[in-house]
């Protein structure tokens, strides 16, 4: 399986993703420059975290106009796997590839710490190796992670929530919502299930030395899904 990591000016987590995919999981991995429209025959495209274009105007607002996003949108519409992590999630919403928008964190501060997530759906390419209702630990690092969806679309989006911020025992409560996200949303998938947007950083929880390996299973799930599909 081949992964492609999109690099926008200001992206600072692409090398972390590259390390996990190419070194830890030993998967073929390439970088894709934001000015390119060629996705290099990748099977999964990753939009990493960071501060694309310095987060000017709004996080992800300028990156959505990069030439590569035309190719990413077409790839996604044709069923290609796409993962948007943190700023990558913001870019996907700004581009209209995923629903919703991001507001400044409740309290207005940048937050960087481990949080607990509850797995709400393990029937996606990104969550196959998790148990339903499982609690995992993954770090966040953002200032605009407050996921918002307008009321006409809330019921539809509820069907596609895959990760929610929770307590250590899986409790869904505002006390465990670090940024004010609607419904404690930490990650959603597209209606078709091939696009994941997640605000926490799975690439920062892929090795024991980092304090958690829970994030590794997201990438391993993708590989398993792709291999199973390939040999059907």
């Amino acid at each position: 399986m081949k992964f492609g990591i999109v690099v926008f000016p200001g992206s600072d987590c692409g090398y972390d993703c590259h390390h996990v995919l190419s070194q830890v999981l030993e998967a073929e991995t390439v970088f894709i420059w934001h000015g390119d429209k060629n996705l290099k025959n990748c099977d999964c495209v990753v939009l990493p975290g960071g501060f694309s274009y310095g987060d000017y105007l709004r996080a992800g607002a300028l990156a959505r106009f990069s030439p590569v996003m035309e190719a990413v949108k077409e790839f996604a519409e044709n069923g290609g796997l796409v993962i948007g992590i943190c700023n990558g999630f913001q870019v996907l919403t700004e581009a209209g590839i995923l629903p919703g928008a991001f507001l400044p964190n409740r309290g207005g501060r940048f937050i960087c710490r481990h949080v607990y997530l509850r797995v709400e759906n393990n029937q996606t390419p990104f969550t196959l190796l998790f148990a339903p209702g499982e609690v995992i630990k993954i770090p966040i690092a953002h200032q605009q992670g407050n996921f918002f969806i307008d009321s006409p679309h809330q019921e539809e989006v509820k069907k596609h929530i895959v990760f929610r911020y929770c307590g250590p025992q899986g409790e869904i409560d505002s006390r465990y919502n670090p940024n004010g996200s609607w419904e404690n949303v930490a990650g959603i998938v597209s209606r078709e299930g091939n696009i994941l947007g997640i605000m926490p950083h799975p690439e920062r929880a892929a090795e024991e030395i980092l304090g958690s390996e829970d994030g590794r299973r997201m990438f391993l799930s993708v590989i398993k899904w792709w291999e199973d599909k390939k040999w059907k």
Side-chain angles (χ1 to χ4, degrees):
M1 183 175 186
K2 185 177 181 180
F3 289 86
I5 301 170
V6 176
V7 180
F8 298 104
S11 296
D12 63 3
C13 301
Y15 282 98
D16 294 340
C17 291
H18 192 283
H19 168 74
V20 171
L21 293 169
S22 67
Q23 302 300 313
V24 178
L25 302 183
E26 299 182 342
E28 183 179 0
T29 310
V30 297
F31 286 114
I32 303 170
W33 184 236
H34 72 107
D36 294 338
K37 292 185 179 181
N38 182 354
L39 298 183
K40 302 181 179 179
N41 295 316
C42 290
D43 302 297
C44 179
V45 174
V46 179
L47 278 62
F51 304 90
S52 59
Y53 294 89
D55 278 352
Y56 289 112
L57 298 182
R58 242 181 359 259
L62 294 178
R64 63 163 291 193
F65 294 107
S66 291
V68 74
M69 291 306 298
E70 296 178 30
V72 171
K73 189 169 186 177
E74 181 179 357
F75 177 73
E77 288 174 348
N78 289 325
L81 297 175
V82 178
I83 304 174
I85 301 170
C86 196
N87 186 241
F89 190 0
Q90 295 163 339
V91 174
L92 290 175
T93 60
E94 289 286 340
I97 296 173
L98 283 177
F102 283 92
L103 306 176
N105 294 343
R106 178 179 57 195
R109 296 184 177 183
F110 182 87
I111 309 171
C112 183
R113 60 181 173 87
H114 276 87
V115 295
Y116 291 106
L117 309 179
R118 193 172 78 186
V119 179
E120 302 291 276
N121 181 354
N122 72 335
Q123 299 299 307
T124 78
F126 315 97
T127 56
L128 292 177
L129 298 180
F130 296 99
E134 181 178 354
V135 177
I136 62 177
K137 187 173 75 170
I138 293 181
I140 55 173
H142 57 251
Q143 189 164 351
Q144 295 181 51
N146 184 350
F147 181 78
F148 170 82
I149 187 76
D150 57 349
S151 55
H153 300 97
Q154 289 178 356
E155 289 305 313
E156 176 64 22
V157 172
K158 278 183 182 179
K159 303 173 187 175
H160 307 298
I161 298 173
V162 286
F163 297 107
R164 297 172 76 189
Y165 299 111
C166 70
Q169 304 304 317
E171 315 95 303
I172 303 297
D173 189 283
S174 61
R175 292 175 297 162
Y176 304 113
N177 187 333
N179 48 41
S181 285
W182 168 79
E183 289 288 330
N184 282 47
V185 163
I188 63 171
V189 291
S190 60
R191 183 183 290 110
E192 296 75 17
N194 62 307
I195 308 162
L196 170 69
I198 180 167
M199 188 50 58
H201 287 263
E203 78 281 7
R204 298 184 185 179
E207 297 177 271
E208 185 178 359
I209 194 172
L210 298 178
S212 172
E213 296 180 275
D214 290 334
R216 182 192 301 198
R217 279 187 286 157
M218 286 190 209
F219 300 116
L220 286 173
S221 292
V222 171
I223 294 171
K224 174 176 171 50
W225 181 90
W226 183 85
E227 290 178 341
D228 289 347
K229 181 182 177 183
K230 178 181 178 182
W231 296 113
K232 278 184 179 178

